[in-house]
């Protein structure tokens, strides 16, 4: 196969959908960077363990260090590929705390460009981009099925 016809290499970002049970229902942690809402995620480089990348970024971006993979640490959902072949993979983890220490990247301006919210799945559908609908549906199914 000519090089020009080879499929492009997949760029993989790895993240965590952190959930917290507030006594009534689960809420997911959504993070806003400038105008975009998402879950904490980082680009995985060749040879890196995707789950470790996701856990490290969640801890660095939010300060959450008590994440438990009650639905399995090998369960994840990926977004559809973008035109550049990039894909985001999300793992589901539960936090016992809702205390977040949001990291503002150095040199990125002021804190007004960054925020976080613990939101219901319905609220998440309103603020997260449509490309995350598959992930939110999967999270809802996992939460409804109970922990493994």
């Amino acid at each position: 196969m000519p090089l020009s016809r080879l499929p492009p290499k997949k760029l993989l970002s790895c993240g965590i959908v952190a959930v917290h049970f507030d006594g009534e229902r689960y809420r997911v942690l959504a993070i806003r960077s400038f105008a975009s809402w998402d879950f904490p995620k980082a680009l995985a480089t060749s040879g890196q363990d995707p789950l470790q990348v996701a856990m490290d970024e969640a801890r660095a971006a939010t300060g959450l260090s008590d994440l438990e993979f009650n639905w399995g640490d090998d369960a994840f959902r990926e977004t559809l590929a973008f035109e550049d072949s990039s894909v985001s993979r999300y793992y589901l983890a539960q936090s016992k705390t809702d205390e977040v220490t949001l990291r503002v990247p150095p040199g990125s301006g002021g804190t007004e460009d960054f925020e976080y919210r613990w939101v219901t799945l319905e609220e998440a559908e309103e603020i997260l981009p449509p490309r995350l609908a598959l992930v939110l549906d999967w999270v809802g199914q996992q939460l409804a099925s109970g922990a493994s």
Side-chain angles (χ1 to χ4, degrees):
M1 177 181 285
L3 287 179
S4 62
R5 294 190 183 242
L6 289 175
K9 186 176 178 182
K10 179 167 96 172
L11 298 173
L12 182 65
S13 292
C14 305
I16 300 279
V17 179
V19 298
H20 173 73
F21 189 73
D22 67 7
E24 292 183 28
R25 60 187 159 195
Y26 283 102
R27 294 183 180 271
V28 298
L29 179 62
I31 295 177
R32 182 180 60 82
S33 176
F34 298 97
S36 270
W37 285 94
D38 205 334
F39 302 113
K41 71 174 191 249
L43 187 63
T45 58
S46 180
Q48 285 186 300
D49 175 51
L51 177 59
Q52 190 63 53
V53 170
M55 290 185 332
D56 291 347
E57 180 60 20
R59 187 176 309 112
T62 67
L64 294 175
S65 60
D66 69 339
L67 297 173
E68 297 178 1
F69 295 87
N70 300 332
W71 295 270
D73 61 5
D74 58 348
F76 59 83
R77 178 63 55 163
E78 291 184 351
T79 61
L80 297 176
F82 287 97
E83 289 179 8
D84 66 356
S85 298
S86 63
V87 171
S88 295
R89 174 183 295 180
Y90 295 96
Y91 297 88
L92 178 61
Q94 184 169 355
S95 175
K96 292 181 181 171
T97 181
D98 64 354
E99 295 179 28
V100 171
T101 304
L102 191 61
R103 175 191 69 197
V104 175
S108 61
T111 58
E112 67 276 358
D113 293 323
F114 300 88
E115 73 175 293
Y116 73 90
R117 294 181 193 168
W118 288 101
V119 296
T120 64
L121 289 176
E122 294 78 21
E123 292 166 332
E125 288 176 2
E126 296 295 319
I127 63 172
L128 291 167
R131 67 181 175 77
L132 292 176
L134 288 171
V135 175
L136 283 175
D137 288 346
W138 173 73
V139 167
Q141 292 167 5
Q142 298 301 304
L143 295 175
S145 72
S148 63

